[in-house]
Amino acid sequence: MKKAELILVSIVVIAITLKLFTIPGGSILGILSMALLSMLYLAVSFLLFKAKGTSQTLLSVATGFTFSILTIGILFTLMFWPGASVMMLLGIVSTFIITIISLIKNSSNESPFYKGILTRAAIFFLLGVTVFMIKDNWYIENQYADIPEYIEAYKKAQADPDNEELRREANAILDSVYREQYGDERR
């Protein structure tokens, strides 16, 4: 299980790097790897963390659920999908709670179980806070640096989220650029 986690985390890092440097394939690799990592944490967290006893099993299931939410929140943030902020906040807060519980349990009972969860929770918490703190416009400005008119239209649409016309205008700009490049509306 730990090998599967390590492989998926490595693929996620590669995917995020590809996505941030706008290299083709980063988006699909990110979607697949983060979805699989999320499912791994959600489905088999009690096996991954090697829980023994009821309290450890409950903590490992809660940790898996928390890591799953935060992983999907990061995915939604990087893909500019709606609902990213809510998932990120929920994931960060619950990861912080898991970190505190693990810290308390580890200080009173130094076991590999609590140390493993504490290490992962601290890493996830820092990663989640970092992704959440970066402004949404930074991702857009990085992703679409060669289309400044889209960046401006996107910012206007974000400033007035109820205005559907602004959103359509931003999408039309992006669609026209893609039609020029590829000859159709593919993204």
Side-chain angles (χ1 to χ4, degrees):
M1 285 294 155
K2 286 189 180 188
K3 284 184 182 179
E5 179 188 27
L6 187 60
I7 290 168
L8 284 172
V9 167
S10 300
I11 295 171
V12 166
V13 169
I14 291 168
I16 290 173
T17 304
L18 292 174
K19 175 82 173 153
L20 291 179
F21 287 105
T22 63
I23 298 172
S27 294
I28 191 68
L29 188 62
I31 292 168
L32 293 174
S33 60
M34 287 187 215
L36 286 172
L37 184 62
S38 176
M39 285 187 272
L40 177 77
Y41 284 133
L42 190 60
V44 293
S45 58
F46 58 94
L47 294 174
L48 185 64
F49 301 126
K50 297 181 180 158
K52 297 173 186 154
T54 306
S55 66
Q56 286 187 359
T57 302
L58 289 174
L59 182 61
S60 66
V61 169
T63 302
F65 186 71
T66 296
F67 289 177
S68 180
I69 291 171
L70 193 54
T71 302
I72 294 299
I74 291 169
L75 172 63
F76 273 48
T77 300
L78 293 175
M79 297 306 298
F80 317 116
W81 291 341
S85 296
V86 173
M87 291 167 99
M88 288 296 292
L89 277 174
L90 185 62
I92 289 169
V93 169
S94 54
T95 302
F96 181 72
I97 292 168
I98 295 292
T99 304
I100 297 300
I101 291 170
S102 299
L103 187 62
I104 291 168
K105 292 279 192 176
N106 190 49
S107 65
S108 65
N109 177 14
E110 290 193 25
S111 76
F113 171 78
Y114 293 115
K115 186 175 182 183
I117 287 186
L118 179 61
T119 303
R120 284 181 180 95
I123 291 169
F124 263 90
F125 178 74
L126 291 174
L127 178 65
V129 167
T130 302
V131 170
F132 187 73
M133 295 300 286
I134 295 174
K135 298 270 188 232
D136 184 37
N137 288 340
W138 181 85
Y139 293 113
I140 291 294
E141 289 169 0
N142 181 50
Q143 189 75 31
Y144 299 104
D146 55 338
I147 314 171
E149 60 273 8
Y150 173 70
I151 294 170
E152 289 306 312
Y154 178 84
K155 287 179 182 178
K156 287 178 186 175
Q158 288 299 99
D160 188 6
D162 294 330
N163 190 335
E164 191 62 35
E165 184 60 34
L166 289 175
R167 184 167 302 283
R168 275 191 229 124
E169 204 174 290
N171 288 338
I173 292 170
L174 195 58
D175 286 343
S176 70
V177 169
Y178 279 108
R179 265 188 249 121
E180 283 178 24
Q181 287 180 344
Y182 303 112
D184 60 14
E185 295 184 28
R186 280 184 285 155
R187 285 193 216 192

